[in-house]
Amino acid sequence: MDIVLRNNLILITTSFETLNREWMKNFLNHHSRGMLFLSKSVLVFRNETLTEVRDEFLRELSQYHASTHEYDHKFFLRSMLKFGTQPIKIELKKLDKTQKIKVNLYAYDKNTVLITLESPNSWVLSYFRSQLEVYVERGTDISLVVDVSDHRAKARLERTLNKKDVLHYHLEYSYDNHFLSKLYSDFANYTFGDLCREEEQSHLTQLYRLLECPVGASADDIKRNYKKLARAYHPDKILHENPTMIEHYTQKFQLLQEAYTTLKEVS
């Protein structure tokens, strides 16, 4: 394990074995809604309500790190605690062979989707929870039932399923022939004329979705969502990340600015 204290984050490079230690899993499970899953790492953002959980994690981390390097951990712990406002990035140092995880999707109707794993996997399930938490109705150690009754939930589900690589897992999705027809049954009776008329509004609809707002949202709601998303995707937060990550955040931030400017005028 290696730990580097940077200006904008605490970087932990470790093995998958360490990632599965109880104190590590406990910390990440508490922050399931504040994590960004990447193909080889997870980025955990600060949560004001979980300060004690974070401090306890840093103590465990410092002790574990000290035990493997044979030094007194107290000084190092004090240094890490000074980074209390910064994100924590946990990156896998050595990846095992990519493991394929089969995920089955089933739509009860246009409002409810069941996500099921073939076998329990806490990391993959944590990924789904981190993306869909506000829409999860119930779940087990291998499944989640998700409420997708409004367009925001469907858009979030689509973005979640677009990601195929989580840590060292590759997700393979399967669903029956009726999945899409059930999920998007509202569109079953549309005519070509209906679609042409709606095309005029498609650009604005995309802007609302980008800001995670319902179509026709108030100016206050648009502003509130813009500020929240702009903070999350501001490129300054990841200045020392790889160029691809910085480019992704920069493009997202610019799109958010353009969407807010346009919808501010519309509202």
Side-chain angles (χ1 to χ4, degrees), residues 19-20 38 54 57 88 92 110 119 142 145 149 167 180 213 224 226 248 251 259 262:
L19 203 64
N20 279 296
L38 307 171
R54 178 190 172 102
F57 166 73
I88 296 175
L92 293 179
K110 66 180 181 181
S119 58
I142 62 169
V145 176
S149 55
L167 295 175
L180 293 177
C213 292
R224 181 165 51 250
Y226 166 70
H248 169 70
Q251 290 177 349
T262 302

Side-chain angles (χ1 to χ4, degrees), residues 2-6 9-13 87-91:
D2 296 313
I3 302 175
V4 179
L5 305 179
R6 296 181 174 176
L9 59 76
I10 298 175
L11 175 63
I12 303 165
T13 307
I88 296 175
K89 183 177 182 182
I90 304 171
E91 189 171 72

Side-chain angles (χ1 to χ4, degrees), residues 34-56:
M35 282 196 297
L36 177 63
F37 275 83
L38 307 171
S39 60
K40 299 178 182 179
S41 61
V42 290
L43 191 61
V44 184
F45 295 100
R46 184 190 181 194
N47 187 324
E48 293 285 356
T49 65
L50 296 172
T51 302
E52 292 183 5
V53 174
R54 178 190 172 102
D55 289 350
E56 180 59 30

